[in-house]
Amino acid sequence: MLGNPDKKFSNFFNSVKPSGLRLAQTVFEKRLKRDIAEGKKPIEAVNVAIGSVSLKTHPKLLQRFLNPTDEELINGIWRYGETPGTQKANEVFIKIIKAFLPEGVNPRLYSIIQDGGSGAMRTAILGLCGDAGADDRPLLVMNPTYTNYKAVADELGRRIVAVERALDRSGNFNHVAVEKIEEAVRRYKPGALLIIPYDNPSGQLMRQKTINEYVRICLENDMFIISDEAYRGLYYTDDEPPSVWRVTDRDVPGIESAGIRISIESLSKTFNSCGLRMGALVTDNESFRDRAVAANTTYLCPSIIDQHIVEGLYEESYEDIKGWIASLRDYYKKLLEYMYEELKKRLPDAIVSKPEASIYMVVDLRDMVDEDFEAEDFVMYCAKEGEVEIDGKRYTLLVSPMWGFYNVIEGRNPGHTQVRIACVEPEEKMMIVPELFAELLKGYLAKRRR
């Protein structure tokens, strides 16, 4: 036995804490086990802390899972595949991209299959940022940004820098002015700029005109732009679906031959297959793709079984793909609008981000709480002891604190009064989320006053 195991662990292990996306779930599971051991009837948790969608997956993926066609797989010969993934699986991701591009826009794209979008993030950061532990060529992001970018960068020892977005009292996160990005580029000399057009966590939609301007800045400064397009097509305005791949020489002269674009792709949300863990890194730079393949040879290959399932989408037409995602768009638009209105009704002093894209919203309690309030403490209260009875059933709510979505260098983290809600539970459970949130917050604030 180790005398003091902490002394044997790495600094990373000694400092790491669970992701905010998993924090509430991890704590609630301990509560659940304790209740079962004590003979209590378990309480039910409505988990909107992590974007694990509960909708059924695309029928072609399900069909391929239930009825595989590859004879070697069927016969139990499961050998390593090629590191970049199968040609058909890569072509599925490229087809999804091109389904949403205007007629006549046809960029030359190179793809490598990854272990979900998170695997693509890792490869992109390894390929574009400075050496581990160095300050040069950081990744430039816009606060708040998807928490996994910071987590992956920390794991790899790479630096992240940020420009700020603020949530105003009407529920809008401001778009970052071009001048702010240019100033940050001059100051930090980043290796790449990250954008998330269908934004996680804010639910904001980035307009194509803004993307064009950010691309121009990157081209002028000889740096890459990484566009996380995992929620491609999930937007709820009258705009065209934005993408880094819609930018042509007419918009930004020289972009089509520059080779500075990368997109992070995933089937998790738009094809309801979070557990499949299939994503891709797509680029217009063949040399970057080749080096990404070389870096990924350490991990041998992506899952050949999961790729076989992905290939079930290979015969889908552009119209099939757009039609499928349009059905999801209709579903989420209605649900997000309900959530926004109900949260505002039950918590009139809360600031709720207006849903324009993706499947998330941010609730900021800064006008309702005192300076000592910490969103993580409220999240822990819900997971450890909070409960609300609705129609004779005991519930609690799991949400994600927002501290991990901010890359704060100076000052207090704005996430200390904010939480993110993911609209991922079955519709009947999502309907009770606003009531749960309001009642649990009331109980938590009453406990603090005692």
Side-chain angles (χ1 to χ4, degrees):
M1 292 289 292
L2 295 174
N4 185 347
D6 287 0
K7 290 185 177 180
K8 303 293 184 181
F9 298 156
S10 68
N11 289 334
F12 174 76
F13 257 39
N14 281 329
S15 63
V16 73
K17 60 187 296 187
S19 164
L21 308 181
R22 291 284 191 183
L23 185 61
Q25 180 181 346
T26 302
V27 171
F28 176 75
E29 285 171 357
K30 294 178 182 177
R31 174 185 183 179
L32 203 58
K33 290 177 181 177
R34 184 178 65 250
D35 285 354
I36 292 171
E38 294 174 357
K40 297 178 182 177
K41 186 177 180 180
I43 188 172
E44 183 173 351
V46 177
N47 188 353
V48 293
I50 187 169
S52 184
V53 297
S54 56
L55 297 176
K56 283 190 175 181
T57 192
H58 191 284
K60 292 293 179 66
L61 297 177
L62 180 58
Q63 180 182 350
R64 183 61 74 93
F65 168 69
L66 296 173
N67 301 285
T69 61
D70 185 290
E71 290 298 324
E72 286 199 339
L73 295 184
I74 293 169
N75 292 327
I77 302 170
W78 295 1
R79 306 179 68 190
Y80 290 129
E82 296 299 316
T83 296
T86 68
Q87 179 181 347
K88 282 188 175 181
N90 278 291
E91 288 181 7
V92 164
F93 283 100
I94 291 174
K95 179 178 281 188
I96 294 167
I97 291 172
K98 292 190 174 181
F100 287 90
L101 297 182
E103 187 175 349
V105 177
N106 188 30
R108 187 177 181 87
L109 301 177
Y110 306 93
S111 175
I112 171 174
I113 300 296
Q114 302 274 255
D115 181 18
S118 297
M121 294 173 204
R122 183 183 186 280
T123 300
I125 291 172
L126 274 176
L128 299 177
C129 295
D131 294 337
D135 287 337
D136 67 310
R137 298 174 63 200
L139 178 66
L140 176 59
V141 305
M142 303 176 195
N143 277 339
T145 199
Y146 179 41
T147 184
N148 277 15
Y149 283 97
K150 183 178 187 303
V152 171
D154 286 347
E155 180 182 337
L156 299 175
R158 266 62 180 189
R159 185 182 177 211
I160 283 190
V161 294
V163 290
E164 302 300 326
R165 289 185 296 166
L167 179 60
D168 65 30
R169 284 180 167 77
S170 65
N172 293 304
F173 276 93
N174 65 289
H175 286 286
V176 179
V178 170
E179 294 76 17
K180 289 288 186 183
I181 297 294
E182 290 175 326
E183 178 185 336
V185 168
R186 288 193 297 270
R187 180 179 179 184
Y188 298 116
K189 297 178 175 54
L193 167 67
L194 169 71
I195 62 172
I196 308 179
Y198 310 84
D199 194 50
N200 176 6
S202 74
Q204 183 181 44
L205 181 70
M206 187 175 287
R207 273 50 176 189
Q208 188 63 44
K209 183 178 179 182
T210 302
I211 293 176
N212 295 354
E213 284 297 301
Y214 294 159
V215 168
R216 176 188 61 78
I217 293 170
C218 291
L219 182 61
E220 290 176 354
N221 288 275
D222 194 25
M223 55 185 278
F224 275 78
I225 184 165
I226 304 169
S227 185
D228 186 328
E229 304 195 0
Y231 297 85
R232 177 181 287 102
L234 294 182
Y235 61 101
Y236 317 111
T237 70
D238 294 331
D239 297 87
E240 290 295 312
S243 172
V244 73
W245 302 118
R246 292 176 73 98
V247 188
T248 69
D249 285 342
R250 292 189 302 275
D251 306 306
V252 179
I255 188 58
E256 292 179 42
S257 59
I260 63 165
R261 291 178 284 181
I262 290 171
S263 66
I264 306 297
E265 305 293 330
S266 173
L267 296 183
S268 293
K269 306 308 189 294
T270 48
F271 288 85
N272 304 334
S273 55
C274 296
L276 192 63
R277 305 308 301 132
M278 279 281 101
L281 184 150
V282 178
T283 180
D284 57 358
N285 187 312
E286 186 176 10
S287 180
F288 183 89
R289 185 262 190 186
D290 291 345
R291 284 165 170 75
V293 172
N296 276 266
T297 54
T298 303
Y299 303 97
L300 305 179
C301 71
S303 166
I304 58 168
I305 298 171
D306 292 352
Q307 287 181 92
H308 185 66
I309 296 172
V310 169
E311 290 172 6
L313 297 171
Y314 181 73
E315 299 294 339
E316 293 291 275
S317 68
Y318 290 167
E319 291 307 313
D320 291 335
I321 291 168
K322 288 192 290 186
W324 166 261
I325 294 178
S327 69
L328 297 181
R329 186 161 61 244
D330 292 341
Y331 169 80
Y332 283 120
K333 180 179 181 181
K334 178 182 175 183
L335 181 57
L336 285 161
E337 287 176 349
Y338 166 84
M339 289 288 296
Y340 178 81
E341 295 298 331
E342 283 296 307
L343 283 166
K344 291 298 293 179
K345 184 187 300 182
R346 291 180 179 274
L347 297 166
D349 293 327
I351 300 168
V352 184
S353 63
K354 289 184 176 177
E356 294 183 328
S358 76
I359 60 174
Y360 305 103
M361 52 179 46
V362 173
V363 180
D364 193 333
L365 304 171
R366 67 186 188 231
D367 291 339
M368 301 177 59
V369 297
D370 58 39
E371 279 296 312
D372 294 329
F373 179 88
E374 290 293 340
E376 185 174 328
D377 291 342
F378 168 59
V379 170
M380 290 298 93
Y381 165 80
C382 295
K384 289 179 178 179
E385 59 181 289
E387 66 174 80
V388 177
E389 185 173 310
I390 300 177
D391 296 330
K393 292 188 67 174
R394 295 164 59 233
Y395 294 96
T396 192
L397 183 69
L398 308 183
V399 295
S400 176
M402 280 285 292
W403 52 259
F405 292 85
Y406 288 90
N407 299 277
V408 177
I409 299 173
E410 299 175 353
R412 193 176 186 191
N413 189 319
H416 77 99
T417 59
Q418 299 174 350
V419 299
R420 188 195 71 168
I421 293 175
C423 293
V424 294
E425 288 275 32
E427 190 171 6
E428 63 273 14
K429 287 188 179 180
M430 290 306 305
M431 294 295 106
I432 65 172
V433 167
E435 180 179 356
L436 283 175
F437 191 104
E439 291 302 313
L440 287 164
L441 180 63
K442 184 190 300 182
Y444 173 71
L445 294 179
K447 179 183 177 183
R448 291 188 75 212
R449 287 193 290 268
R450 289 200 293 269

